[in-house]
Amino acid sequence: MTERKATLKIDHLADPIELPIYSGTLGPDVVDIGQLVKHNYFTYDPGFVSTAACESKITFIDGDKGILLHRGYAINQLAEKSDYIEVCYLLLNGELPTQAQKDAFLHEVTHHSMVHEQISLFFRGFRRDAHPMAIMVGVVGALSAFYHDKLNISDPQHRMSAAIRLIAKMPTIAAMCYKYSIGQPFMYPQNHLNYTENFLHMMFGTPCDNKQPSATLARALDRIFILHADHEQNASTSTVRLAGSTGANPYACVSAGIGALWGPAHGGANEACLTMLHEIGDVKNIDTYIKRAKDKNDPFRLMGFGHRVYKNYDPRAKVMRETCYEVLNELGLQNDPIFKLAMKLEKIALEDEYFVEKKLYPNVDFYSGITLSALGIPINMFTVIFALARTVGWLSQWNEMLSSPDHKLGRPRQLYTGHTDRNFVDIDKR
Ligand code: SDX
């Protein structure tokens, strides 16, 4: 196939610059601008709105059509027919597992779900009211101290074992964050429980009873994990890739990703959305908040609405909305005032021309916050749950980057608008 090119004509350059164009299997073509630096030019794209930072085969998003595929499988099919452990296998390995492969993978994950006993001592250093994300960033980063010496990131086996360790231990650490905040003892994982039931057991079980987690609620939470597993080159995944490009160990990279996810513009939106709904408090206040969301001079944003890529409905939000209804009906909370307020806000926003014109639809975080709240998860644990679920996406993308022979250190440049060269002035002359 003839190579396609973009021709860039720059006023003071004698000859136009020819830039190769590459096509993927889906989505926009890309212009390879790598040689621009030879002509003493950079591209300029703050926020990377029009920038493809890498090639990937893991997740495809079409923001206009509201499409999300993981290794080619549509998110609604995975949410309906698969489970989180199977989606983890798919994201990491590229294919759905056979029953034997799935059983072996689950066995591996189950038998790595305990953390080193020393790790429970880390929690003592935190105040009981520390935000669980602050604890997660610290404890996950500290896992490096337990494994980095057995980790050669250029060895695919070592990379996969680190991925399995992290996928296995995130629920344990997340539940430890919660237990520490309420002064209850840590619960050990139970090998006879499946991945999500185990998490609910560690979150809500106590040494005083052996209540089995609800299979219905575990199924709902498992679907939430699936919906949050991976999402192309979002801010936290790009953070993990950039950290990984330096050769940092995967525990440090995932800790960096957790830090990036925490922001309210990203994974912190589900917590911010619930806080916002409680702040709105009553349907009669909705118009005031919608007005604030439109006011350019007011930093207030309608949390749970809008998305950098989805300029149509977030396909995850559709599934999340159904799950939300199922959980609320299952728990008899369909008349929950916060849920009713959320539905009213959704209706008003979807009919408001500001939101319609700017294509601001409810995103996955709008419904996940309400559902997690109904499941009894405290608001400050919402982003921890998001981090738990996204760990497989971060590690799949990290592994894909390191598997590529021509991966290189990520190091963006800049447009410099600061002072030109000037001489130092002694303090008595300033
Ligand atoms: C996630 O990248 C991913 O894939 C992320 C994620 C994942 O799975 O990893 O999907 C998870 O982070 C979902 C998004 C969660 N964030 C929120 O719900 C926070 C509220 N949303 C906004 O902060 C905002 O929509 C962003 C940050 C999500 C996207 O913002 P962009 O792409 O930078 O777009 P923008 O801020 O330039 O908004 C475009 C316009 C602006 O108005 P103008 O300057 O053009 O006049 O829309 C307005 C914004 O002011 N706008 C909003 C709004 N979101 C955008 N106005 C009010 N309320 C909002 N929520």
Side-chain angles (χ1 to χ4, degrees):
M1 192 168 76
T2 50
E3 193 181 73
R4 294 174 52 213
K5 289 188 177 309
T7 303
L8 181 62
K9 182 79 190 74
I10 295 180
D11 41 21
H12 76 283
L13 290 184
D15 303 322
I17 303 171
E18 297 225 319
L19 302 169
I21 292 177
Y22 310 132
S23 300
T25 39
L26 292 169
D29 293 343
V30 297
V31 178
D32 180 344
I33 47 97
Q35 60 179 291
L36 272 187
V37 68
K38 280 189 301 199
H39 301 275
N40 202 30
Y41 276 91
F42 298 145
T43 55
Y44 184 63
D45 183 20
F48 311 119
V49 179
S50 305
T51 295
C54 63
E55 176 186 341
S56 180
K57 302 179 189 321
I58 299 174
T59 291
F60 173 72
I61 301 173
D62 182 319
D64 294 327
K65 298 190 187 113
I67 292 171
L68 169 55
L69 306 179
H70 289 317
R71 300 288 190 178
Y73 297 100
I75 189 63
N76 58 316
Q77 289 190 29
L78 292 172
E80 193 189 316
K81 300 176 178 172
S82 188
D83 60 33
Y84 179 70
I85 274 297
E86 188 169 73
V87 170
C88 286
Y89 185 96
L90 172 68
L91 288 169
L92 283 168
N93 296 292
E95 296 298 337
L96 289 168
T98 61
Q99 189 60 57
Q101 287 168 330
K102 182 175 179 179
D103 294 346
F105 184 72
L106 178 59
H107 183 271
E108 273 283 278
V109 169
T110 302
H111 290 80
H112 280 92
S113 52
M114 271 206 301
V115 291
H116 193 293
E117 204 55 16
Q118 292 293 101
I119 285 179
S120 56
L121 303 178
F122 292 161
F123 287 77
R124 305 250 178 291
F126 291 100
R127 289 172 29 162
R128 292 278 179 179
D129 63 353
H131 196 290
M133 282 297 277
I135 302 177
M136 279 296 267
V137 168
V139 174
V140 172
L143 287 176
S144 317
F146 290 79
Y147 303 111
H148 72 285
D149 53 339
K150 289 181 230 117
L151 185 64
N152 168 8
I153 56 170
S154 55
D155 179 334
Q157 257 65 44
H158 283 213
R159 291 202 300 271
M160 192 53 83
S161 77
I164 286 174
R165 271 202 174 105
L166 272 158
I167 291 165
K169 295 179 194 311
M170 285 296 273
T172 310
I173 295 169
M176 290 170 85
C177 291
Y178 173 59
K179 286 300 196 189
Y180 185 72
S181 73
I182 58 173
Q184 282 191 2
F186 298 140
M187 295 299 286
Y188 287 99
Q190 296 297 307
N191 291 353
H192 69 280
L193 295 174
N194 73 32
Y195 187 84
T196 311
E197 287 169 345
N198 218 347
F199 174 62
L200 286 175
H201 158 73
M202 292 187 282
M203 279 285 289
F204 301 118
T206 71
C208 317
D209 65 30
N210 55 7
K211 206 165 48 178
Q212 286 306 302
S214 146
T216 315
L217 299 188
R219 178 72 195 127
L221 188 57
D222 196 83
R223 196 176 294 165
I224 291 175
F225 288 172
I226 292 173
L227 295 175
H228 288 79
D230 189 51
H231 211 239
E232 200 216 62
Q233 305 311 321
N234 58 85
S236 54
T237 298
S238 301
T239 301
V240 172
R241 277 182 173 259
L242 199 55
S245 76
T246 71
N249 72 71
Y251 307 96
C253 295
V254 168
S255 175
I258 293 170
L261 186 76
W262 196 358
H266 186 17
N270 50 19
E271 174 178 354
C273 178
L274 251 287
T275 306
M276 173 191 75
L277 289 172
H278 284 289
E279 192 187 314
I280 294 175
D282 187 290
V283 175
K284 68 179 185 320
N285 302 326
I286 289 182
D287 287 343
T288 309
Y289 281 84
I290 294 260
K291 232 181 246 103
R292 284 188 57 193
K294 298 179 189 174
D295 178 356
K296 284 283 151 259
N297 302 317
D298 188 331
F300 175 77
R301 288 280 176 72
L302 219 45
M303 290 290 117
F305 284 80
H307 197 279
R308 171 59 60 78
V309 177
Y310 289 124
K311 300 308 172 192
N312 195 320
Y313 218 68
D314 180 338
R316 302 167 299 173
K318 273 200 185 91
V319 181
M320 197 63 251
R321 193 173 195 272
E322 287 155 21
T323 306
C324 188
Y325 274 104
E326 277 167 29
V327 167
L328 290 162
N329 288 333
E330 169 77 17
L331 296 172
L333 295 173
Q334 52 276 63
N335 292 320
D336 173 273
I338 286 293
F339 176 62
K340 291 174 84 72
L341 175 64
M343 291 305 100
K344 187 81 179 139
L345 178 63
E346 178 202 37
K347 186 173 180 313
I348 293 172
L350 288 176
E351 288 162 3
D352 182 290
E353 94 267 4
Y354 173 91
F355 288 85
V356 173
E357 183 246 321
K358 291 186 185 296
K359 302 180 187 302
L360 301 173
Y361 296 92
N363 55 48
V364 65
D365 295 294
F366 182 71
Y367 301 103
S368 64
I370 302 158
T371 312
L372 290 171
S373 190
L375 289 172
I377 310 269
I379 291 180
N380 68 1
M381 282 289 292
F382 287 4
T383 312
V384 171
I385 303 273
F386 195 151
L388 185 168
R390 183 55 56 89
T391 295
V392 65
W394 291 330
L395 289 159
S396 303
Q397 302 268 352
W398 166 81
N399 184 51
E400 180 181 63
M401 174 185 70
L402 293 175
S403 312
S404 144
D406 54 6
H407 77 271
K408 57 175 75 154
L409 171 70
R411 205 277 185 219
R413 302 303 304 275
Q414 63 179 12
L415 170 65
Y416 177 70
T417 54
H419 284 287
T420 53
D421 187 16
R422 54 180 176 163
N423 291 322
F424 185 81
V425 178
D426 294 335
I427 192 158
D428 55 0
K429 296 190 177 60
R430 289 174 204 162

